[in-house]
Amino acid sequence: MPALASHRKPRTRVRSTTPAVGLTTAALAGVTLLSTQSATAAPASPKPSIEDVQKKVDDLYRQAGTATQQYNQAKEASAAQRGKVDALLDEVAKRADKLNDARRTLGNYAAAQYRTGSIAPSATFFLADDPQSYFDQNQLMARMAGRQQKAVTDFRTQQAAASKKRAEATKSLETLTESQATLRTSKENVQKKLGEARAMLSKLTAEEKARLAELERKKEAEAKRKAEELARQQAAAKAEADRKAEEAAKQAGSGGDTGTGTGSDSSATTKAYKVLAFARAQLGRPYVWGATGPSSYDCSGLTQAAWKAAGVDIPRTTWDQVKIGTRIATADLQPGDLVFFYDDISHVGIYKGDGMMIHAPKPGANVREESIYYMPIYGSVRPA
């Protein structure tokens, strides 16, 4: 019997393409994602312009100047507090010596009383050779008791005084610690601001540095132009004042001598001459924040030293210097006057005439002559 043919369909092997499709889809998705991220990514911050860099650096130097004045103020307060603490500690030591003396005196009385013992008045009367001896001895004992009482009183007085001085010294030491902490903070602030300024300048290319230098030259030229204009105005005002004085002298029949000079004016002129002579001698010396000479200065250190050379003591910081003497309008400035800058009064220079000043500008620069219009003027004073 012939075999029957099978009705089952033969299996057909079909190769699956799913993995390939999956890989292709993943690759397309990746490309799409990257494209989307590239398209939506925030653009890089634009590099600041040279003008912005100049403004930022100038502002950092100004902030460093403010921090320098804070440092100077804290340093002066710390030094004053240290002197007060030292004086109090000396007083505490003296009080301790007096307390020990009183303690020794009291101890001597106690030891003497212990050795001799105390005798009742009735026993002293019966043991005395005669009544007069009793009264003499009794008076002596009264004086001894009075001395003992005084010794006790002195001891208590010295003990209270010593305790008071120790408390004052302790409080003064706490204040000194606070002043020293402020001093450290101010120093750190100065260093931070100067570091930021140096970091900004170090990132500039040679071309950018050249452009920045050109901006500085333009700024200096504009400041010089304003100084020259002020010099012309002051010269004209002086000529007019001299003319009026001469006319007044002629009308009074005093000839060519106007007679307007006074001893006070002469003294002020002499002081101004000494101030400027000192300031000129410091030209070229480096600015160092917190320095008061003789080899380097900060701005208020230079002004303080210059006026000291003229025999006038002025405070250490710009904030205190601006409060002294007489306020002067810019148009009325005379050599030796102090000119202050910025709203926070963080810089000061010495007016030399013709719209120019001598000042210690900033870190990295030397004491130099410059237009008073190089920085925004706050106000001016005549110290003496």
Side-chain angles (χ1 to χ4, degrees):
M1 183 175 180
L4 296 174
S6 175
H7 297 284
R8 298 174 61 185
K9 294 182 179 179
R11 291 182 178 180
T12 304
R13 294 181 180 269
V14 179
R15 296 180 63 184
S16 175
T17 59
T18 302
V21 172
L23 286 173
T24 302
T25 304
L28 289 173
V31 171
T32 302
L33 180 60
L34 289 173
S35 301
T36 303
Q37 288 177 340
S38 299
T40 60
S45 300
K47 190 172 182 178
S49 66
I50 293 300
E51 290 78 8
D52 290 338
V53 171
Q54 182 191 41
K55 183 178 179 181
K56 179 64 176 177
V57 169
D58 286 347
D59 189 53
L60 286 170
Y61 277 129
R62 183 192 59 77
Q63 292 177 34
T66 302
T68 296
Q69 295 307 312
Q70 292 171 341
Y71 171 84
N72 293 338
Q73 190 177 58
K75 185 177 181 180
E76 194 170 53
S78 181
Q81 194 63 31
R82 167 55 67 186
K84 185 176 180 180
V85 167
D86 289 343
L88 282 171
L89 291 177
D90 287 343
E91 187 64 25
V92 166
K94 292 176 182 177
R95 290 291 179 183
D97 289 341
K98 291 180 179 180
L99 180 62
N100 289 334
D101 290 341
R103 183 182 285 111
R104 279 191 293 269
T105 301
L106 194 60
N108 290 337
Y109 280 122
Q113 188 174 7
Y114 175 78
R115 287 194 302 269
T116 60
S118 60
I119 302 176
S122 58
T124 303
F125 177 79
F126 286 114
L127 291 174
D129 294 335
D130 55 69
Q132 185 61 44
S133 296
Y134 164 75
F135 288 117
D136 291 343
Q137 189 173 0
N138 194 47
Q139 189 176 8
L140 177 63
M141 293 301 292
R143 287 200 300 268
M144 290 290 289
R147 291 173 185 171
Q148 291 177 2
Q149 184 60 42
K150 183 178 183 302
V152 172
T153 301
D154 287 347
F155 175 78
R156 289 175 177 171
T157 300
Q158 297 301 333
Q159 190 178 41
S163 178
K164 181 180 179 181
K165 287 299 177 183
R166 280 196 297 269
E168 289 179 11
T170 299
K171 185 176 180 179
S172 190
L173 279 170
E174 292 173 353
T175 304
L176 176 61
T177 301
E178 293 174 0
S179 297
Q180 290 174 332
T182 302
L183 185 64
R184 286 192 296 271
T185 301
S186 300
K187 183 176 181 179
E188 290 169 359
N189 287 340
V190 174
Q191 294 171 332
K192 179 182 177 182
K193 297 302 179 183
L194 294 179
E196 290 177 10
R198 285 192 291 266
M200 286 196 72
L201 292 174
S202 67
K203 294 177 181 179
L204 298 179
T205 64
E207 181 183 354
E208 289 171 332
K209 289 178 180 178
R211 289 170 56 198
L212 182 61
E214 180 61 25
L215 287 177
E216 285 293 322
R217 282 191 290 272
K218 289 181 179 179
K219 181 179 178 181
E220 291 171 2
E222 177 61 16
K224 186 177 180 181
R225 184 192 66 76
K226 291 182 178 180
E228 291 171 349
E229 177 61 26
L230 176 62
R232 284 192 293 270
Q233 293 174 0
Q234 289 180 329
K238 185 178 184 303
E240 180 64 14
D242 291 344
R243 185 187 64 78
K244 289 181 178 180
E246 186 177 354
E247 288 181 357
K250 288 179 179 179
Q251 290 176 2
S254 60
D257 185 4
T258 61
T260 57
T262 66
S264 177
D265 291 340
S266 177
S267 175
T269 301
T270 300
K271 288 175 181 176
Y273 175 81
K274 291 180 178 179
V275 168
L276 284 176
F278 180 91
R280 289 191 182 99
Q282 314 313 311
L283 290 171
R285 296 193 177 179
Y287 175 104
V288 175
W289 62 271
T292 56
S295 58
S296 58
Y297 298 89
D298 64 17
C299 66
S300 56
L302 176 63
T303 53
Q304 184 187 46
W307 270 96
K308 186 175 182 63
V312 179
D313 290 326
I314 65 174
R316 174 66 180 92
T317 69
T318 55
W319 302 324
D320 291 326
Q321 290 179 6
V322 76
K323 298 174 184 177
I324 64 172
T326 306
R327 292 299 293 267
I328 301 296
T330 301
D332 299 327
L333 283 169
Q334 294 180 8
D337 292 344
L338 301 183
V339 186
F340 298 87
F341 302 90
Y342 301 112
D343 290 340
D344 59 1
I345 322 174
S346 56
H347 193 73
V348 62
I350 302 169
Y351 190 69
K352 67 176 288 290
D354 297 330
M356 303 293 287
M357 66 177 171
I358 297 175
H359 71 141
K362 60 185 178 182
N366 297 330
V367 176
R368 66 193 183 200
E369 294 184 6
E370 198 153 49
S371 167
I372 62 172
Y373 293 103
Y374 184 77
M375 294 167 282
I377 297 174
Y378 172 84
S380 306
V381 302
R382 187 165 297 150

